Amino acid sequence: MKLEFIKREVLKEKPADESKLGFGRIFSDYMLMMKYDEAKGGWYYAAIEPYENLSISPAALVFHYAQECFEGMKAYRTADGEVMMFRPWDNVHRMNISGERLCMAPIPEDFLLQSIYELIKVEKDWIPSSPGTSLYIRPTFIGIDPVIGVKAASQYLLYVILSPVGSYYASGLAPVSIYVENKYVRAVKGGTGYTKCGGNYAASLKAGEVAHERGYSQVLWLDGRENKYIDEVGAMNIMFKVNGEVITPELNGSILAGITRDSIIKLARSMGYKVTERRISMQEIADAAENGTLEEVWGTGTAAVVSPVGELIWEDKVIKVGDGGMGKLTLELYNKLTGIQYGREADEMGWTVKL
Ligand SMILES: Cc1ncc(COP(=O)(O)O)c(C=O)c1O
């Protein structure tokens, strides 16, 4: 398969004020489009095309049975104007892991990765350069057979769109307050919790609304069976520093194997910290807060990078983290990771690629 290029006649106006980018509201001139049809022998079309609305049947499987998964990664502008990406091969691979669970067609990972590089090169002028900004990359994979009936599709679209973004949180790096959900669940053993499928997020909206009504910005999910053990936050994995040790929920099939999570575990270990991946109960965290050993809590994710947590509310108990400010290790990890992503720090782990 060859990657085609379809030129756009008129380019869009780029955002003039990078302080007003927000998140995921502005899209660039081009997108990558790949098409699959079993009847045509598999993947048969790949092109960098003008960004525009899709035309697919209202009967398309994705609209009814949610055969869909997606990814999220970023391209960064370094101080000397170069373009970097961070572990994009891991996102492409994770998309295949999600797709496999949803019985979707296997993705040619290297072809997709190289095609994303080409798209970013074409759209490099859309990468903002102010501190904390980046170009968010959203690969999306959908089953589109125009047939009503629950089955795996035989036709797919895989497209990648680009959005220049500012910081994920309007409040910047200020500690967030988190609502521990104990009525609704996000994932159960044997379900799709470990995938990045749209259905997981649709099912999470209800709890998000309740949390917002109560003044909390994010939901912390507990396990779907006993409502006791910590899984993850809405769009982040979660880590705790208790008595000098970093602990984080193990990959148990219910949580997303975050690429930021893995990077932070490795960075913290390289800084000499003991990091343990294991089952953690909410009671254990409440006890640690009570006895003064809950030192820091932070979330990790591509969008928010490393996000300090100032307090958790669990069954009407408010759990304060440290002094409620940004923890020392949280800040160190944030600086170290963003340093690598923006090319300010040496990349000893081989995580970045310059385009
Ligand atoms: C549910 C969920 N958990 C964790 C993460 C963090 O994953 P990553 O670090 O790969 O962005 C995300 C965001 O992608 C997410 O949506």
Side-chain angles (χ1 to χ4, degrees), residues 94 186 196 201 232-237 256-261 300-302:
R94 190 170 66 186
R186 174 186 178 276
K196 216 163 158 56
Y201 297 81
E232 63 182 329
V233 187
M236 295 191 290
N237 296 107
L256 192 73
I259 291 157
T260 320
R261 173 189 180 279
T300 64
T302 298

Side-chain angles (χ1 to χ4, degrees), residues 12-27:
K12 298 180 194 173
E13 192 95 4
K14 298 198 177 54
D17 184 352
E18 290 189 354
S19 70
K20 297 208 171 75
L21 289 173
F23 199 94
R25 290 186 283 115
I26 302 161
F27 296 96

Side-chain angles (χ1 to χ4, degrees), residues 138-158:
R138 169 50 60 88
T140 314
F141 190 19
I142 55 176
I144 58 159
D145 296 26
V147 180
I148 289 181
V150 181
K151 68 173 191 78
S154 63
Q155 297 166 34
Y156 294 91
L157 296 184
L158 195 175

Side-chain angles (χ1 to χ4, degrees), residues 30-142:
Y30 288 95
M31 60 185 181
L32 171 68
M33 174 62 76
M34 288 171 58
K35 298 181 183 176
Y36 176 99
D37 189 342
E38 236 166 65
K40 293 183 177 159
W43 294 100
Y44 68 94
Y45 175 89
I48 293 174
E49 301 181 340
Y51 178 100
E52 60 187 22
N53 292 346
L54 302 176
S55 175
I56 49 180
S57 165
L61 282 176
V62 61
F63 296 137
H64 307 272
Y65 309 112
Q67 202 189 17
E68 185 265 3
C69 62
F70 64 97
E71 269 304 325
M73 55 185 144
K74 286 173 171 174
Y76 306 86
R77 168 95 53 205
T78 67
D80 50 15
E82 287 185 295
V83 176
M84 298 250 277
M85 289 185 73
F86 184 76
R87 304 182 64 174
W89 40 86
D90 289 314
N91 290 92
V92 166
H93 182 61
R94 190 170 66 186
M95 197 151 178
N96 247 341
I97 293 173
S98 298
E100 193 276 336
R101 175 65 179 79
L102 303 171
C103 295
M104 303 179 80
I107 300 163
E109 292 183 22
D110 197 50
F111 183 88
L112 174 59
L113 187 61
Q114 299 304 326
S115 303
I116 291 173
Y117 292 165
E118 291 310 310
L119 176 68
I120 304 298
K121 285 186 208 162
V122 168
E123 294 290 68
K124 64 180 185 311
D125 291 346
W126 281 90
I127 307 174
S129 56
S130 313
T133 62
S134 55
L135 187 68
Y136 190 74
I137 304 165
R138 169 50 60 88
T140 314
F141 190 19
I142 55 176

